[in-house]
C-alpha cells in the first residue's frame, strides 16, 4: 500500500504560508479578513483533496480485501500442506504397518512398514481390495469376519517365521485404518522366558525331592531340641516343592494350544471336590454343593480338576473357621457356570484385576501362612483360556468372595445317564 508523507509535509509547509499570503493580500487590499478567508478556503479544499487521496491509497478497497484474504488463504494452505507432509512422513517411517482403507475396503494409502510386514507393493496395490490382496491368509479370514476384535500372533502373509498383532480402527466417513505390529521379537523373548522358568523348575525338582526325602527320614524325637527347626524345614521344603510343581504346570499350560477333548462327568467330580475341601478344612467350615446343572464338560479332566480344586482350596484358606463354602454348578443361557462362594476375608476391589498374575497376593503373610504359592489363580486362568472359558471374581471385604468359571454351550455334554434315559424313553 502506498503512503504519501511528501504531500502531507507539503500541506504543513503550505498552511502558514497560505495564511500569511492571504493576510498580506488582504492588508494590501485593506481587507485582510477576506484574505485570510480566501487562504482558509484554499486550505480546506487542499485538505479535503488530501483526505480523498488518503482514502484511495491507505484505506483498503474491495480488491485489496480480496487480495489480503487470498494471501492469508495461501499461507494457511501452505501451512496445512507442510503439516500433512510432516504427518505422512512420520506415519510413513513408523515401524508398525498402517493401511488406510475406504468404505469398500480398498487400499487408499499405506506406509513403508506395510510393504515389509504385509507384502503390499507400490503403486499397483493402491486401490486393490485388501481382503482379496491377502487371499488365503489368516488375515484375510479376519477381514472377512469383520475385523471387530484385535488379532494376536497371526502369521504374516507369506512369511511363516513372522508374527503380527493386528487391529482395525474406524474413523471419518466409514473409513478404516489397519494397524499391524511385528511381535516376532517379543514372542521370541517370551519363549526364552518360558524356557528359562521351565528349565529352572525342572532342575530344582530333583535336589528338592532329595532334601525333602532326608528331612522326612529325620525323627524329631532323636533330637528334641531341633524339633521346631526340623518341622519348619519340612514345611518350607514342601512349599518349595509345591512352587516348583505349580511353575511346571504353568509352563506346560502356556505351551499348549489346545486341550484334550474328553468327557468330564461333573457329578462325580463335584463329589470328589467336596471330599477334598472337607479334608483341607478339617471340619472348620461348612461345605455345601448345589449342582443344578445336568451337564458334563468337554475338555481336560486333569486340568479342570486342578482349576476347580485351586478355587476351593483358596476358599478354605481365606475363610475363617465357622464360615460356609458353597460349590455351584448351574446352567445359564450362554452355557454353564462352576462357582465357589465363601464367607471369608474378601478382597478389596483395587486388587481384583491383578489377582491372576503370577505371585500376586493381597496379603503375602496370609498366603504363606496358609501354604499358598501365589500361582493358583494364574493356573486357573490358563486352564480356563484353554477351554475358551472365563473367570469372574466378585468380592466384598469382610463378607466373602465368589470365583466363577463361565463355560460356553460348545463345552457342554448331556450326561450319559440322561442320554440313556432319553434313548429308553
Ligand atoms: P495363593 O497361593 O497365594 O493363594 P492364588 O493365585 O491362588 O495364590 O491367589 C492369589 C491371591 O488372591 C491370594 O494370595 C489371596 O490374597 C487372594 N485370594 C484368592 N482367593 C481368595 C479368596 N477366596 N478369598 C480371599 N482372597 C483370595
Amino acid at each position: 500500500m502506498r503512503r504519501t508523507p511528501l504531500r502531507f509535509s507539503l500541506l504543513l509547509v503550505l498552511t502558514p504560508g497560505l495564511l500569511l499570503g492571504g493576510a498580506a493580500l488582504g492588508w494590501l487590499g485593506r481587507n485582510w479578513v477576506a484574505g485570510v478567508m480566501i487562504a482558509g478556503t484554499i486550505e480546506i479544499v487542499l485538505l479535503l483533496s488530501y483526505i480523498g487521496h488518503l482514502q484511495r491509497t491507505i484505506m483498503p478497497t474491495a480488491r485489496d480485501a480480496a487480495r489480503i484474504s487470498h494471501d492469508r488463504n495461501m499461507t494457511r494452505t501452505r501451512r496445512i500442506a507442510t503439516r500433512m507432509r510432516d504427518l505422512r512422513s512420520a506415519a510413513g517411517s513408523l515401524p508398525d504397518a498402517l493401511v488406510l482403507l475406504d468404505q469398500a475396503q480398498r487400499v487408499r494409502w499405506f506406509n513403508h512398514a506395510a510393504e515389509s510386514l504385509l507384502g503390499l507393493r507400490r503403486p499397483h496395490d493402491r486401490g486393490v481390495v485388501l481382503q482379496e490382496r491377502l487371499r488365503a491368509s489368516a488375515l484375510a479370514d479376519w477381514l472377512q469376519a469383520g475385523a471387530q476384535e484385535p488379532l494376536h500372533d497371526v502369521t504374516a502373509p507369506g512369511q511363516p517365521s513372522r508374527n503380527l498383532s493386528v487391529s482395525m480402527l474406524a474413523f471419518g466417513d466409514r473409513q478404516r485404518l489397519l494397524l499391524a505390529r511385528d511381535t516376532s521379537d517379543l514372542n521370541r523373548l517370551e519363549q526364552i522366558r518360558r524356557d528359562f522358568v521351565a528349565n529352572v523348575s525342572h532342575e530344582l525338582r530333583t535336589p528338592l525331592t532329595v532334601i525333602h526325602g532326608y528331612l522326612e527320614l529325620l525323627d524329631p524325637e532323636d533330637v528334641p531340641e531341633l524339633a521346631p527347626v526340623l518341622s519348619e524345614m519340612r514345611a518350607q521344603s514342601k512349599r518349595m516343592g509345591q512352587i516348583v510343581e505349580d511353575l511346571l504346570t504353568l509352563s506346560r499350560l502356556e505351551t499348549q494350544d489346545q486341550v484334550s477333548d474328553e468327557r468330564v462327568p461333573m457329578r462325580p467330580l463335584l463329589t470328589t471336590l467336596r471330599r477334598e475341601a472337607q479334608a483341607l478344612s478339617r471340619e472348620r467350615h461348612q461345605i455345601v454343593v448345589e449342582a443344578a446343572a445336568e451337564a458334563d464338560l468337554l475338555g481336560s479332566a486333569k486340568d479342570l480338576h486342578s482349576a476347580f480344586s485351586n478355587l476351593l482350596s483358596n476358599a478354605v484358606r481365606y475363610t475363617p473357621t465357622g464360615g460356609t463354602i458353597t460349590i455351584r454348578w448351574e446352567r445359564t443361557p450362554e452355557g454353564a457356570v462352576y462357582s465357589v462362594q465363601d464367607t471369608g476375608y474378601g478382597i478389596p476391589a483395587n486388587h481384583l484385576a491383578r489377582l491372576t498374575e503370577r505371585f500376586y497376593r493381597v496379603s503375602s503373610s496370609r498366603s504363606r501362612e496358609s501354604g499358598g504359592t501365589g500361582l493358583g489363580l494364574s493356573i486357573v486362568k490358563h486352564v480356563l483360556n484353554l477351554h475358551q472359558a472365563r473367570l469372574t471374581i466378585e468380592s466384598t471385604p469382610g463378607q466373602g468372595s465368589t470365583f466363577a468359571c463361565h463355560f460356553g454351550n460348545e463345552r457342554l455334554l448331556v450326561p450319559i445317564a440322561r442320554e440313556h434315559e432319553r434313548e429308553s424313553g
Side-chain angles (χ1 to χ4, degrees):
M1 210 163 312
R2 281 174 294 141
R3 306 246 163 228
T4 53
L6 191 67
R7 279 167 188 261
F8 189 63
S9 326
L10 216 62
L11 194 70
L12 288 177
V13 173
L14 273 177
T15 303
L18 281 169
L19 286 171
L20 282 173
L25 276 173
W27 183 75
L28 282 174
R30 301 274 177 250
N31 193 351
W32 60 274
V33 175
V36 168
M37 280 180 66
I38 293 165
T41 311
I42 293 171
E43 194 182 24
I44 286 168
V45 170
L46 273 174
L47 202 63
L48 284 176
S49 117
Y50 180 64
I51 288 171
H53 175 76
L54 276 186
Q55 269 181 341
R56 280 195 307 281
T57 54
I58 296 179
M59 300 291 283
T61 60
R63 208 184 314 148
D64 286 335
R67 205 180 55 232
I68 292 167
S69 133
H70 176 259
D71 286 352
R72 277 197 195 139
N73 282 346
M74 283 300 285
T75 315
R76 199 177 303 145
T77 310
R78 266 197 295 272
R79 215 171 32 229
I80 292 171
T82 312
R83 281 194 192 151
M84 285 284 288
R85 250 198 321 277
D86 289 351
L87 262 173
R88 265 195 179 201
S89 105
S93 52
L94 274 179
D96 295 347
L98 300 180
V99 185
L100 213 68
L101 301 170
D102 67 11
Q103 304 168 346
Q105 303 269 0
R106 277 189 302 257
V107 175
R108 281 186 58 202
W109 174 86
F110 53 90
N111 67 353
H112 294 302
E115 295 178 50
S116 55
L117 297 184
L118 303 173
L120 296 184
R121 291 288 163 260
R122 238 172 270 267
H124 48 268
D125 278 339
R126 284 223 183 96
V128 298
V129 176
L130 188 61
Q131 193 182 316
E132 287 172 13
R133 174 67 179 75
L134 303 176
R135 210 176 12 237
S137 71
L139 263 179
D141 296 343
W142 175 70
L143 288 167
Q144 164 86 36
Q148 299 295 337
E149 295 291 321
L151 187 65
H152 299 293
D153 283 340
V154 62
T155 309
Q159 304 175 75
S161 60
R162 199 170 222 169
N163 285 336
L164 302 177
S165 261
V166 269
S167 51
M168 187 73 90
L169 308 174
F171 75 99
D173 180 20
R174 291 173 54 214
Q175 297 188 61
R176 305 214 285 172
L177 179 68
L178 181 134
L179 274 161
R181 169 167 293 184
D182 187 349
T183 51
S184 318
D185 285 344
L186 262 179
N187 288 354
R188 255 192 299 281
L189 283 176
E190 181 65 12
Q191 188 57 47
I192 292 171
R193 181 195 65 76
R194 272 191 222 137
D195 290 349
F196 175 76
V197 174
N199 291 339
V200 168
S201 312
H202 200 76
E203 291 299 322
L204 283 175
R205 203 185 209 172
T206 316
L208 268 174
T209 314
V210 174
I211 292 171
H212 196 67
Y214 279 126
L215 284 172
E216 286 297 320
L217 280 180
L218 288 174
D219 190 348
E221 282 178 13
D222 293 343
V223 270
E225 66 278 16
L226 287 182
V229 178
L230 204 58
S231 146
E232 181 62 15
M233 284 169 80
R234 274 182 187 170
Q236 290 302 334
S237 87
K238 197 171 157 210
R239 212 168 81 81
M240 274 172 80
Q242 192 54 54
I243 291 175
V244 166
E245 288 309 316
D246 280 0
L247 281 173
L248 284 169
T249 305
L250 263 178
S251 298
R252 177 179 61 78
L253 291 170
E254 275 180 338
T255 47
Q256 257 176 265
D257 289 337
Q258 54 191 45
V259 280
S260 55
D261 276 348
E262 6 163 351
R263 175 186 284 275
V264 185
M266 282 305 282
R267 284 223 169 250
L269 179 56
L270 291 170
T271 311
T272 310
L273 288 167
R274 183 191 188 169
R275 215 178 30 245
E276 286 172 359
Q278 278 167 336
L280 200 63
S281 159
R282 281 178 270 118
E283 307 201 343
R284 287 179 294 126
H285 310 95
Q286 195 191 348
I287 318 271
V288 181
V289 177
E290 291 177 9
E294 285 287 352
D296 287 345
L297 274 173
L298 186 66
S300 156
K302 182 175 150 219
D303 292 336
L304 287 171
H305 182 182
S306 150
F308 293 166
S309 68
N310 255 314
L311 295 181
L312 256 178
S313 118
N314 280 354
V316 171
R317 291 187 295 117
Y318 300 114
T319 301
T321 304
T324 302
I325 292 157
T326 311
I327 309 166
R328 289 197 183 87
W329 177 233
E330 303 163 293
R331 282 304 295 250
T332 60
E334 298 81 33
V337 177
Y338 166 88
S339 65
V340 177
Q341 183 180 12
D342 64 55
T343 55
Y345 305 116
I347 304 154
N350 58 321
H351 292 284
L352 293 182
R354 300 195 56 191
L355 280 191
T356 55
E357 289 173 23
R358 286 148 212 250
F359 298 114
Y360 189 88
R361 293 157 168 134
V362 178
S363 154
S364 299
S365 54
R366 192 175 275 165
S367 162
R368 284 201 188 97
E369 275 163 27
S370 64
T373 61
L375 295 167
L377 290 181
S378 194
I379 291 176
V380 173
K381 192 180 96 177
H382 275 85
V383 170
L384 294 187
N385 280 349
L386 285 171
H387 289 83
Q388 297 78 46
R390 64 194 168 87
L391 177 72
T392 57
I393 309 169
E394 284 171 21
S395 190
T396 311
Q399 288 185 25
S401 318
T402 303
F403 287 73
C405 311
H406 302 255
F407 293 90
N409 277 318
E410 67 285 354
R411 283 273 161 203
L412 301 184
L413 294 172
V414 176
I416 288 176
R418 281 277 300 279
E419 256 178 15
H420 288 328
E421 272 171 36
R422 259 196 225 164
E423 280 163 16
S424 56

